[in-house]
């Protein structure tokens, strides 16, 4: 089933827009070996506001709830629970090239890489997956001030992050599925997904050579390049 664009999600990117994902080498090999992409359950994210309605929105609702405040609080709890348990996400950086700050944030080990793809490649990679995948840009908000208007959908809630993370310029893929695991793995065409693989700029020549050798054991057709960022 093709990737869908939910009417409540922001999506202004062209099909040629580059996107990046920073991962450890072991996760890359898992993608290649198993032809599956890892989606994290949204409640596993570090930000406490993930999958939550903004504080300002809740305060506005409560101010007009009157004697139905207990019902409102229960509904909010249910919506947060649904988002936490149903929403699984795959996160990508929207950019024109790799980002030094994101290397530092997401790759603590030098045995790591960055996958470069684009929107069109994402669509091709999931074309044969039978379940619905939604795509949208993350919207950054001040949770203390910003008020959501209208009826809310849990996917819309999952697309909003605290403004402190604006530098990540994040694109998300959403899959709704109830599972007890902290993550799910979704079948993909990894050859369609991966335009090229970039090696961590802090990796020594020895590590870079080893990363190339390991990837070539699984697929010699993949493009593997050194980072344009240089430290020495």
């Amino acid at each position: 089933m093709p990737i869908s664009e939910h009417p409540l999600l922001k999506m202004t990117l062209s099909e040629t827009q580059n996107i990046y994902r920073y991962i450890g080498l072991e996760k890359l090999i898992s993608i290649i070996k198993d032809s599956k992409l890892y989606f994290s359950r949204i409640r596993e994210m570090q930000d406490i506001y993930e999958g939550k309605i903004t504080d300002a929105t809740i305060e506005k609702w409560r101010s007009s709830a009157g004697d139905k405040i207990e019902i409102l609080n229960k509904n909010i709890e249910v919506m947060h629970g649904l988002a936490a348990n149903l929403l699984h996400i795959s996160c990508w950086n929207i950019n024109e090239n790799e980002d030094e700050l994101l290397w530092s944030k997401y790759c603590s080990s030098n045995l790591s890489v960055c996958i470069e793809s684009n929107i069109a490649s994402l669509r091709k990679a999931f074309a044969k997956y039978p379940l619905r995948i939604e795509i949208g840009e993350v919207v950054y908000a001040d949770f203390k001030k910003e008020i959501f208007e209208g009826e809310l959908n849990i996917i819309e809630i999952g697309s909003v992050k605290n403004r402190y993370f604006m530098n990540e310029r994040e694109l998300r893929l959403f899959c709704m599925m109830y599972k007890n695991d902290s993550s799910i793995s979704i079948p993909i065409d990894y050859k369609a997904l991966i335009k090229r693989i970039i090696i961590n700029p802090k990796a020594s020549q020895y590590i870079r050579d080893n990363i190339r050798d390991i990837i070539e054991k699984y697929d010699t057709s993949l493009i593997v390049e050194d980072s344009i960022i240089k430290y020495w």
Side-chain angles (χ1 to χ4, degrees):
M1 180 181 292
I3 290 177
S4 304
E5 295 181 18
H6 195 283
L8 294 178
L9 295 181
K10 176 185 176 184
M11 188 59 189
T12 62
L13 305 176
S14 72
E15 293 297 291
T16 58
Q17 173 64 57
N18 281 351
I19 54 174
Y20 298 85
R21 180 157 180 170
Y22 299 80
I23 56 175
L25 179 63
E26 71 284 352
K27 284 190 176 179
L28 173 69
I29 297 306
S30 177
I31 291 171
I32 297 169
K33 182 165 62 73
D34 301 329
S35 291
K36 291 182 179 180
L37 187 63
Y38 173 94
F39 278 59
S40 298
R41 190 152 54 170
I42 202 165
R43 74 179 189 186
E44 305 298 326
M45 300 292 102
Q46 292 181 341
D47 179 18
I48 62 171
Y49 287 104
E50 285 280 8
K52 300 289 180 62
I53 301 166
T54 65
D55 297 338
T57 302
I58 293 174
E59 287 178 12
K60 180 182 178 182
W61 289 351
R62 285 174 175 164
S63 68
S64 58
D67 59 0
K68 297 181 180 179
I69 188 72
E70 289 187 12
I71 296 174
L72 172 63
N73 288 338
K74 183 62 178 179
N75 288 341
I76 292 170
E77 182 182 345
V78 168
M79 186 165 282
H80 285 168
L82 287 172
N85 290 298
L86 289 179
L87 281 183
H88 294 76
I89 57 176
S90 175
C91 307
W92 296 75
N93 169 241
I94 304 163
N95 221 319
E96 295 308 317
N97 216 311
E98 56 186 304
D99 187 296
E100 196 275 340
L101 290 177
L102 297 185
W103 274 119
S104 300
K105 182 172 183 177
Y106 291 110
C107 298
S108 57
S109 167
N110 292 347
L111 277 170
S112 52
V113 299
C114 176
I115 296 173
E116 181 182 273
S117 188
N118 61 29
I119 304 302
S121 297
L122 268 185
R123 296 189 192 281
K124 291 177 184 176
F126 286 91
K128 295 182 180 179
Y129 182 64
L131 300 182
R132 190 181 184 94
I133 302 289
E134 308 276 7
I135 188 171
E137 299 167 61
V138 166
V139 175
Y140 298 95
D142 185 334
F143 273 64
K144 299 298 183 184
K145 297 179 180 179
E146 191 142 347
I147 297 173
F148 291 165
E149 302 292 348
E151 186 174 344
L152 293 180
N153 180 290
I154 63 169
I155 288 185
E156 182 183 14
I157 294 171
S159 72
V160 179
K161 287 189 72 170
N162 199 299
R163 62 185 175 86
Y164 303 126
F165 297 95
M166 286 182 68
N167 67 301
E168 295 182 350
R169 297 186 61 203
E170 190 176 329
L171 174 77
R172 286 185 169 179
L173 298 177
F174 297 89
C175 181
M176 292 182 64
M177 185 183 298
Y178 184 79
K179 294 196 74 172
N180 289 327
D181 299 334
S182 62
S183 64
I184 57 174
S185 294
I186 293 180
I188 59 163
D189 178 352
Y190 76 85
K191 287 181 179 290
L193 176 71
I194 300 173
K195 288 175 59 182
R196 64 177 177 133
I197 298 164
I198 307 167
I199 300 174
N200 191 315
K202 292 184 178 179
S204 66
Q205 186 62 55
Y206 174 79
I207 290 177
R208 294 201 300 271
D209 291 342
N210 273 276
I211 288 175
R212 283 188 170 86
D213 289 343
I214 292 169
I215 294 172
E216 286 179 2
K217 287 180 181 177
Y218 292 93
D219 192 329
T220 58
S221 68
L222 294 172
I223 299 171
V224 183
E225 297 181 353
D226 288 342
S227 170
I228 61 172
I229 301 168
K230 305 298 180 186
Y231 292 103
W232 55 77

